[in-house]
Amino acid sequence: MRKTFKTLTLAALSATAFLSLAQAQELKVGVQNMAPWLDPGRDFSNVGSQFYFNAFDPLIGKDATRAESVWQPGIATSWTQVSPTVIELKIRQGVKFHNSDPMTVEDVVFSFDRIINATFPPYGIRKRDTLPNMAKVEAVDAETVRVTATRPEPLFETLLNVQQGMIVPKKYVMALTGDPNVAEASDFEAFALKPVGTGPYKIAEFVPNQRLVYERFDGFWGEKAPFQKVTVTRIPELSGRLTALKNSEVDLITNIPPDQLAPVAADPKLKVEGMQTPLFHVVIFNTQNPKMANPKLRQALSYAIDRKTLNEALWFGKAKVPTSHSFAQFGPLYMPELATFEYDPAKAKALLKEAGYDGSPIRYDIQAAYYTNGLLAAQAIQEMWGAVGVKMQLNVTEQWTGSDPTMMARGWSNPMYFPDPAGAFGIMWAPTGNSASEGRFKADDAYIALWDKFRFSTDLAERKQAYAALMQAIKNDPPMLPLYQPFESYGMKRSLAWRPLQGHIPYVLDFRAGRVTLAAR
């Protein structure tokens, strides 16, 4: 009996030691791109979206394992919509920021007020494209915050879950530069290089465009992070990422194109995970450039692109070619039955003739390595346009040209920033969206009326009807063409249990408790 007790005791101690070892492990990640700064309220990029979820919390949480929106407590423990324009939230007590300051309702107010009443221009852009209907956020008492919208808001919970509304520390931000009692532009610039949040990991080191180091934050209000340290390093070349993974220099790598999946999976020490991410690779047109003003020309360019062939050739059929601008994550507003975008080269040729196309080159801008298969897609589109008689001048550039009045067409992406058409299509193509802000798209009165009906109606059937009408308007006068929903793949050690989750916005590297484990080396 004594021997059995001793054996059990040793087994228990060994299990405890293994658990402690596992929790102390470092996870090493190789990414294709690293952000130049980190501020969830300011950011709008696919690169930045990878990094916020580990270090920051939204007011309202979401079950990331499910595509449909299932809301959960976050910084807010409960909430009640008290009128069509007002929602009140009870704020979690005992939350600490990574610098050990207690989080208060004033921090919640500040986090939204810096965008709603922006004095820093980048926040003003987020106000226009993400939170244009929010009028004010105010503290009711030490545990309650009230959010007021300008118009009846059908998306309160959705908007209080967005990355741009993640909670940041007012006192810390305002004290970074200048007058500690005034929120200055220099404070926000400094915060983006020394970010502080409330999440399970604190940002211990950030080297812009190179490296990010998370460390477990023991003061986190929820379940503790599974790793003591997570080091994320930029390895821009695919060959470099693959070599680092095979040599056990990293545990996980991002952005593996389909033609490299089989070699990775064939290694007995490695495996791959992936999913159709809620994002479209798109071709955008500058409708305000006089050379691109004729809708028939842009229709022709859209009809000339064989997106199914692009999917087969570049993604091995793993991507998803949409019939309309719609994601499954939209839930009841998912409308794949709409036929907004089609391939018809004969119609393309006829429209080119009607448009009076004179054979002059159309410049197509693309970044070389930002998007998986982005440059290859542009080269294929060049051939497809050539097949209907359009000359493409392919311009490979690392510069953002979306606001350049000389831009004619370019490759880009349109992510789902939140799970509603307003949070994907609308971020880019609403009357106050990003494309309007940057001068390549201008909505007419009829379009604005349709948008308002879709965006602010509290009747689901009416929203669906209005969105279908918006898609018809886009078909008639196209400012863009979604190519496909890419299948983004990750390579990792076989001992690593991690996968992308369909309930997140694109590219989130979620290393919170319950999302990832790594067996002892």
Side-chain angles (χ1 to χ4, degrees), residues 6 33 43 101 121 123 139 143 182 200 248 259 289 296 322 324 333 337 342 348 360 381 388 411 421 476 480 503:
K6 181 178 180 181
N33 292 295
D43 209 344
D101 285 351
Y123 294 153
E143 298 184 7
V182 179
S248 297
D259 63 349
N289 183 325
K296 291 183 178 181
S324 190
L333 282 164
E337 68 274 13
E342 305 169 64
S360 59
I381 291 169
V388 299
N476 296 340
M480 54 80 189

Side-chain angles (χ1 to χ4, degrees), residues 222-240:
E223 191 174 353
K224 303 304 179 189
F227 293 102
Q228 180 63 39
K229 185 178 183 181
V230 178
T231 299
V232 186
T233 304
R234 185 187 183 209
I235 309 175
E237 297 296 332
L238 173 63
S239 60

Side-chain angles (χ1 to χ4, degrees), residues 59-74:
L59 263 182
I60 294 178
K62 185 174 181 284
D63 183 352
T65 66
R66 300 168 67 173
E68 67 273 22
S69 295
V70 179
W71 306 116
Q72 299 174 331

Side-chain angles (χ1 to χ4, degrees), residues 226-488:
F227 293 102
Q228 180 63 39
K229 185 178 183 181
V230 178
T231 299
V232 186
T233 304
R234 185 187 183 209
I235 309 175
E237 297 296 332
L238 173 63
S239 60
R241 293 196 302 282
L242 290 170
T243 299
L245 180 62
K246 290 183 178 183
N247 291 344
S248 297
E249 296 166 13
V250 296
D251 306 301
L252 168 70
I253 62 172
T254 68
N255 298 86
I256 303 180
D259 63 349
Q260 293 299 314
L261 295 179
V264 174
D267 188 321
K269 298 182 299 182
L270 305 177
K271 64 178 180 179
V272 294
E273 294 279 3
M275 64 174 281
Q276 290 174 348
T277 194
L279 167 146
F280 291 131
H281 285 187
V282 296
V283 177
I284 62 172
F285 302 118
N286 186 355
T287 67
Q288 303 304 295
N289 183 325
K291 295 181 180 179
M292 300 295 293
N294 192 326
K296 291 183 178 181
L297 172 61
R298 288 180 268 113
Q299 285 180 19
L301 296 175
S302 294
Y303 280 122
I305 298 176
D306 184 351
R307 297 172 300 146
K308 290 183 179 179
T309 294
L310 289 178
N311 181 19
E312 293 298 327
L314 301 180
W315 297 93
F316 295 15
K318 290 178 176 289
K320 182 177 182 179
V321 175
T323 56
S324 190
H325 199 299
S326 197
F327 293 110
Q329 284 85 348
F330 292 170
L333 282 164
Y334 177 49
M335 291 187 283
E337 68 274 13
L338 300 178
T340 310
F341 309 107
E342 305 169 64
Y343 171 57
D344 190 333
K347 187 175 288 187
K349 291 178 180 178
L351 285 164
L352 286 171
K353 187 175 181 180
E354 292 177 31
Y357 172 63
D358 61 5
S360 59
I362 292 177
R363 194 182 89 201
Y364 187 104
D365 300 343
I366 189 68
Q367 289 173 272
Y370 191 86
Y371 303 111
T372 304
N373 286 332
L375 180 55
L376 290 174
Q379 292 167 336
I381 291 169
Q382 185 176 35
E383 293 185 12
M384 293 172 182
W385 283 2
V388 299
V390 174
K391 296 178 182 178
M392 178 197 287
Q393 177 191 340
L394 188 58
N395 178 39
V396 181
T397 175
E398 296 310 303
Q399 299 299 313
W400 170 243
T401 59
S403 56
D404 180 353
T406 69
M407 188 271 283
M408 302 175 76
R410 70 165 287 133
W412 201 25
S413 69
N414 189 172
M416 183 193 74
Y417 292 94
F418 55 85
D420 185 271
F425 173 80
I427 295 290
M428 301 295 187
W429 311 108
T432 62
N434 182 266
S435 292
S437 296
E438 294 200 327
R440 59 183 172 268
F441 171 73
K442 186 176 181 180
D444 60 21
D445 290 344
Y447 187 98
I448 292 170
L450 276 175
W451 174 261
D452 282 358
K453 183 179 179 182
F454 156 72
R455 175 62 181 84
F456 298 110
S457 175
T458 56
D459 180 83
L460 179 61
E462 193 169 83
R463 291 194 80 209
K464 292 184 71 171
Q465 182 185 45
Y467 191 63
L470 282 169
M471 291 298 97
Q472 185 60 48
I474 288 296
K475 184 173 185 176
N476 296 340
D477 192 356
M480 54 80 189
L481 171 70
L483 296 175
Y484 38 68
Q485 194 174 332
F487 190 93
E488 291 290 355

